[in-house]
Amino acid sequence: MLAIDTPVQFIKGIGPSIAESLAEKGIGTAEDLLYHLPFRYEDRANPRTLHEVVAGEMASVIGEVRGSILLRTRAMPIFEMTLVQGTGTLKCIWFRGTYLKDRFQAGQTVAVFGKVEASRSSRGFKMIQPQFEILPQATEEFSSLEMGRITPIYESLGGTKLGPRWVRRQLFTLLGELGGRIPETLPAAILGRLGMPSRDTSLHQVHFPDAPTSLSQLQSARTAAHRRLIFEELFFLELGLEIKRRKAKERAGIAFAPSEQVRAALREVLPFHPTAAQKRALGEIVEDMKQPSPMRRLLQGDVGSGKTIVALQAMLIAIENGYQAALMAPTEILATQHYLGARKMLERATRDYRVTLLTGSLDVHHKRAARGRIANGEADLIIGTHALIEEKVDFNRLGLVVVDEQHRFGVMQRFRLMKKPGQGEPDVLVMTATPIPRTLALSLYGDLDLSVLDELPPGRTPIVTRRGSDDRSDEVWQFVRKHVAAGRQAYIVYPVIEGSSDDQPELDFPAPEEPPAKPAKRAKTPSLFERPTLKAATQMYEELRAGPLAGLRLGLLHGRLSADDKEIVMRRFQRGELDVLVSTTVIEVGVDVPNATVIVIEHAERFGLAQLHQLRGRVGRGSAKSYCILMTGGRVSAEAEQRLDAMVRTQDGFELAELDLALRGPGEFFGTRQAGLPDFRVANLVRDRELLELAKREASAFVASGGTEASEAERALVAARLKQAWQRRYGLVEAG
Ligand code: ADP
Ligand code: MG
């Protein structure tokens, strides 16, 4: 008998070959198909008449095809189809519509959806590029599905063959055959308390809503059925996180002792008075470090808020307790900078701290030596890149791991495994500048505790941000010269290293914010007439050196340089031996040179908002007034305009993050795939924030009470579902 876990291949109407296409879309079982929800609904019970519609609104209109024609204009072929409804006409227009040539026949009934516009020629209305569906003759078996009701519109599951109409019919059959046998996953007590419908009812209602359902609630996924399905998905995410967090607390860690002697060691090296926020964060970290269970903490703070020093203090506590501490950075440049910075700060100490750098591009000889020092305990503080977990590093006595500027899952797992028999698990501190809105951070990183640096160190002046188009570049170079003459330094940033290809990855491994998804997409559809030529770092370095910036000391930095060359360039810029650093986005994260007060970002339209904010964070790190100049060449899309305007308007990382989240959607914002974060089937983290919080509350209450609200059978169901959800959706096996 057909059940929810039946492979799609065995569903009526789907054979092995369609099943193969569906597998490509991640649909393997009946359940997967049921969770392919409509992305839109049309009210075909009460379709709009052409007398009611108003130019400018989005509407679905049903009418009869009168005729169609393919016009070959000089610019492109245009396909026109005329729809009549009573005395009204609606002209539907598709640019490059050759493919539609034989689709319509006079007399067919067609539903179109799009923006209604006034038409000069036909005295009626027109629609440009509407979505359409040719409706069946009233005698057909399924006609009640597509007409005279609220009709679900689906994304195609493969070409026109498995198009919206196929999906609709398939789901209708499937729901019919399952006939009320879709099992519940949530305890009745929770559903009752929240007034939510059963899973069976919900799945029926989201696909084929009853007549009186509000169309606007359907469109915004706010019907009871939608809310229940979203809640369910988020509940199992939160439940898994909550259990992970509790389990971590039960494991054996290391109880560090922040003795008076340790505090004295910290005071000795601290180069400035910490801000109140830094003190509070360190206090929270120290509290965790004192506990005998392993610390799992996220330190969040906008660019320039001073996370590094907090981490260094925590690492000193570990070292003073006789352990090793490791700091992992996403790029070699950043690792090198941390290494140089730590060495400089620790010079002040009476005790001799042994600091070791380990990155992927060190030569074999150096690497071996570094690994040796780490293994036999000669290294106290180890700073490196991903090489730290990739190069089979054997730590002698690892006590604390700090992961800088990224928030990927999985990393912590690996460090956990590095503990030696008989030793406790190391503490882990993850740092990020990605200003995840706090409520989201708490819910998404439910297995981490959170500390926030919500205050910048004193004496910072706001960064002045200006936009400029390429024809004013002379002015910009003059501006750079003026600042260099005053003893300051500048960055000039380009989107690519050389040539105009987009395919030039810059980080040693992809950071969540990178690469910017939008520019990459745009590059796939170049403008009609020209392929944009991109200015690249290497060419512009030569050009600027020979031309507008002749006489200044220029350096070039990008990801393809050897580790040594990177270090040399960075050092020279840091020491003020270079005036201008021409660079790619390798400087995006963490680079800290307070004397640099100007950053010019060329092709700013190509960068994502998070990236622009990070790049701007390279300046304004000292007390001198700083400038960020966003240069754009050529056409700027409407969305890029919004990003650039936002950059000029505000410097608040949280505000920018909210906008970024809204513009890009959560998947891209969080770098879902790389981050190992869930790809939701129904939930949307921006839209459903309130349900996320509800789910978190319910999940932690459920765990805290041991699920006593539920019957034993229900608890077993919840456990099974949890395991399944985490294995399938989040690829983590150890949740149950
Ligand atoms: P981020 O949080 O972006 O990693 P950093 O740790 O690199 O920020 O700090 C930014 C700059 O601010 C550095 O130059 C650092 O030395 C300086 N800084 C940090 N904390 C303070 C403080 N309490 N007072 C003065 N300067 C500080
Ligand atoms: Mg930093």
Side-chain angles (χ1 to χ4, degrees):
M1 194 164 56
L2 186 66
I4 190 147
D5 55 358
T6 303
V8 280
Q9 165 173 2
F10 303 116
I11 297 175
K12 194 170 140 199
I14 303 179
S17 104
I18 292 181
E20 221 168 274
S21 315
L22 293 180
E24 276 168 34
K25 300 273 179 182
I27 295 178
T29 62
E31 179 177 321
D32 295 339
L33 195 55
L34 287 175
Y35 278 88
H36 184 67
L37 301 193
F39 72 97
R40 176 166 82 68
Y41 298 83
E42 282 183 15
D43 186 356
R44 294 189 188 159
N46 309 289
R48 311 296 298 275
T49 73
L50 284 172
H51 298 293
E52 294 168 330
V53 298
V54 190
E57 74 171 325
M58 300 292 290
S60 70
V61 174
I62 296 177
E64 193 171 294
V65 177
R66 191 167 66 194
S68 62
I69 183 171
L70 183 66
L71 306 165
R72 301 200 176 270
T73 70
R74 254 174 49 147
M76 66 184 90
I78 296 176
F79 183 79
E80 282 188 10
M81 185 268 282
T82 308
L83 211 58
V84 292
Q85 190 201 63
T87 53
T89 63
L90 177 70
K91 187 168 279 184
C92 303
I93 298 167
W94 288 270
F95 300 118
R96 302 179 183 286
T98 319
Y99 65 100
L100 292 171
K101 208 167 50 117
D102 301 317
R103 279 306 276 289
F104 301 101
Q105 270 125 44
Q108 274 175 335
T109 307
V110 173
V112 293
F113 176 79
K115 188 169 167 193
V116 181
E117 295 176 52
S119 164
R120 272 176 300 144
S121 55
S122 65
R123 271 185 301 126
F125 292 105
K126 68 177 176 187
M127 261 187 203
I128 311 282
Q129 320 266 84
Q131 296 173 29
F132 70 90
E133 186 173 328
I134 299 170
L135 299 179
Q137 302 305 318
T139 51
E140 262 186 60
E141 175 193 0
F142 284 106
S143 60
S144 65
L145 267 189
E146 356 228 45
M147 303 171 73
R149 58 156 28 258
I150 293 181
T151 307
I153 311 289
Y154 298 89
E155 261 173 52
S156 161
L157 285 174
T160 40
K161 184 160 170 247
L162 309 183
R165 195 159 156 209
W166 180 87
V167 177
R168 187 186 303 135
R169 293 173 174 203
Q170 203 59 56
L171 274 163
F172 187 73
T173 315
L174 177 59
L175 281 163
E177 287 194 10
L178 283 170
R181 283 181 291 113
I182 300 174
E184 187 49 75
T185 53
L186 293 170
I190 295 186
L191 290 179
R193 179 150 28 89
L194 303 178
M196 288 181 171
S198 73
R199 189 154 82 119
D200 191 81
T201 304
S202 301
L203 282 167
H204 271 94
Q205 287 299 316
V206 289
H207 289 291
F208 300 102
D210 286 343
T213 314
S214 141
L215 196 67
S216 75
Q217 282 190 6
L218 282 168
Q219 305 287 29
S220 54
R222 277 295 155 277
T223 62
H226 278 100
R227 288 173 53 90
R228 132 94 218 201
L229 294 175
I230 295 164
F231 173 82
E232 173 184 353
E233 184 164 42
L234 296 173
F235 177 79
F236 284 103
L237 167 72
E238 293 299 338
L239 193 61
L241 289 171
E242 179 70 23
I243 290 170
K244 272 182 78 163
R245 201 163 68 95
R246 284 182 175 246
K247 280 199 171 165
K249 297 245 145 82
E250 284 163 15
R251 292 198 302 265
I254 304 162
F256 296 99
S259 64
E260 190 38 50
Q261 177 201 333
V262 174
R263 287 175 196 277
L266 293 188
R267 276 196 297 273
E268 201 174 55
V269 295
L270 205 59
F272 30 59
H273 288 294
T275 62
Q278 285 170 322
K279 272 191 209 153
R280 191 182 55 232
L282 184 67
E284 289 162 0
I285 292 167
V286 170
E287 265 324 296
D288 281 3
M289 291 181 72
K290 279 157 62 177
Q291 303 307 317
S293 55
M295 166 168 79
R296 297 289 178 263
R297 188 168 279 277
L298 177 69
L299 175 59
Q300 183 191 33
D302 209 345
V303 276
S305 58
K307 295 184 288 295
T308 317
I309 194 77
V310 175
L312 277 171
Q313 292 183 83
M315 292 195 286
L316 282 190
I317 294 174
I319 295 170
E320 286 293 325
N321 276 269
Y323 285 86
Q324 293 173 306
L327 170 60
M328 194 172 95
T331 65
E332 299 215 339
I333 289 171
L334 194 50
T336 308
Q337 175 186 284
H338 279 318
Y339 172 72
L340 298 174
R343 293 252 313 239
K344 192 164 154 215
M345 188 177 100
L346 296 176
E347 272 168 13
R348 272 186 288 268
T350 0
R351 179 183 153 182
D352 183 24
Y353 295 100
R354 297 160 305 178
V355 190
T356 289
L357 178 68
L358 181 67
T359 63
S361 64
L362 285 179
D363 62 45
V364 187
H365 183 72
H366 278 97
K367 257 191 225 167
R368 193 179 312 129
R371 275 208 303 268
R373 288 196 300 278
I374 298 170
N376 65 22
E378 276 170 45
D380 303 312
L381 180 54
I382 297 100
I383 297 177
T385 55
H386 236 207
L388 283 182
I389 44 182
E390 267 150 19
E391 309 254 350
K392 287 173 258 138
V393 180
D394 178 25
F395 287 88
N396 186 276
R397 230 165 108 78
L398 185 58
L400 170 66
V401 175
V402 179
V403 184
D404 190 18
E405 297 293 3
Q406 63 139 1
H407 49 259
R408 302 199 307 172
F409 286 177
V411 177
M412 290 191 282
Q413 285 313 102
R414 313 272 293 268
F415 275 109
R416 240 181 87 186
L417 299 177
M418 289 182 186
K419 83 185 183 80
K420 291 272 175 65
Q423 290 180 6
E425 229 176 79
D427 283 353
V428 177
L429 178 67
V430 180
M431 306 200 289
T432 180
T434 304
I436 309 156
R438 189 180 170 105
T439 51
L440 271 187
L442 277 173
S443 305
L444 278 177
Y445 299 99
D447 60 338
L448 300 185
D449 295 301
L450 180 67
S451 293
V452 181
L453 295 183
D454 51 7
E455 178 186 6
L456 293 179
R460 303 276 172 87
T461 47
I463 301 167
V464 179
T465 304
R466 294 262 185 278
R467 291 183 53 179
S469 69
D470 278 1
D471 45 22
R472 294 180 62 185
S473 55
D474 285 349
E475 252 175 272
V476 174
W477 306 137
Q478 277 311 316
F479 187 78
V480 170
R481 281 184 162 281
K482 196 178 92 191
H483 280 262
V484 170
R488 300 297 176 187
Q489 291 163 282
Y491 298 98
I492 304 174
V493 182
Y494 293 91
V496 292
I497 303 176
E498 57 195 0
S500 58
S501 154
D502 274 311
D503 180 28
Q504 298 181 29
E506 261 304 15
L507 295 183
D508 294 350
F509 66 90
E513 294 87 2
E514 194 276 6
K518 290 300 169 189
K521 259 193 213 138
R522 206 171 317 125
K524 268 187 224 126
T525 49
S527 78
L528 288 178
F529 308 107
E530 73 214 272
R531 227 203 137 75
T533 45
L534 283 183
K535 296 186 204 168
T538 29
Q539 282 100 315
M540 288 306 292
Y541 167 72
E542 297 299 341
E543 246 175 68
L544 291 170
R545 205 157 63 130
L549 298 182
L552 305 190
R553 297 167 303 172
L554 265 60
L556 174 66
L557 187 69
H558 58 70
R560 291 205 193 140
L561 297 178
S562 73
D564 281 348
D565 287 343
K566 276 184 217 161
E567 188 181 330
I568 292 168
V569 175
M570 259 334 282
R571 253 187 222 267
R572 293 185 62 204
F573 191 65
Q574 242 147 12
R575 291 205 198 110
E577 294 164 19
L578 293 172
D579 302 315
V580 175
L581 191 62
V582 177
S583 163
T584 57
T585 51
V586 283
I587 60 154
E588 170 182 335
V589 277
V591 167
D592 182 43
V593 179
N595 190 47
T597 54
V598 178
I599 183 163
V600 180
I601 304 174
E602 295 238 53
H603 287 301
E605 76 278 4
R606 298 183 61 90
F607 294 92
L609 201 46
Q611 226 177 358
L612 287 172
H613 180 61
Q614 287 286 335
L615 285 168
R616 176 166 62 184
R618 296 316 109 215
V619 299
R621 301 176 84 84
S623 53
K625 189 162 183 178
S626 292
Y627 300 85
C628 169
I629 302 164
L630 304 170
M631 304 290 288
T632 49
R635 197 152 6 125
V636 178
S637 72
E639 210 190 290
E641 284 289 344
Q642 283 193 51
R643 292 198 295 266
L644 297 171
D645 285 347
M647 283 291 292
V648 172
R649 188 174 67 238
T650 179
Q651 211 178 311
D652 180 337
F654 284 84
E655 197 181 325
L656 291 171
E658 294 274 359
L659 181 65
D660 201 23
L661 196 57
L663 286 177
R664 289 201 289 160
E668 290 183 358
F669 178 86
F670 291 112
T672 308
R673 256 154 233 107
Q674 293 152 14
L677 278 173
D679 238 345
F680 295 106
R681 297 203 278 202
V682 262
N684 170 319
L685 291 182
V686 182
R687 185 190 65 198
D688 302 327
R689 234 185 255 191
E690 155 257 338
L691 282 171
L692 181 66
E693 275 165 56
L694 180 64
K696 183 176 168 60
R697 279 200 304 278
E698 287 292 335
S700 63
F702 186 82
V703 178
S705 70
T708 44
E709 224 187 6
S711 71
E712 200 170 313
E714 283 177 329
R715 279 201 299 274
L717 268 182
V718 167
R721 181 70 178 171
L722 175 69
K723 202 160 171 192
Q724 184 204 18
W726 275 70
Q727 280 177 3
R728 269 195 60 245
R729 308 303 302 171
Y730 320 130
L732 298 173
V733 193
E734 24 108 51

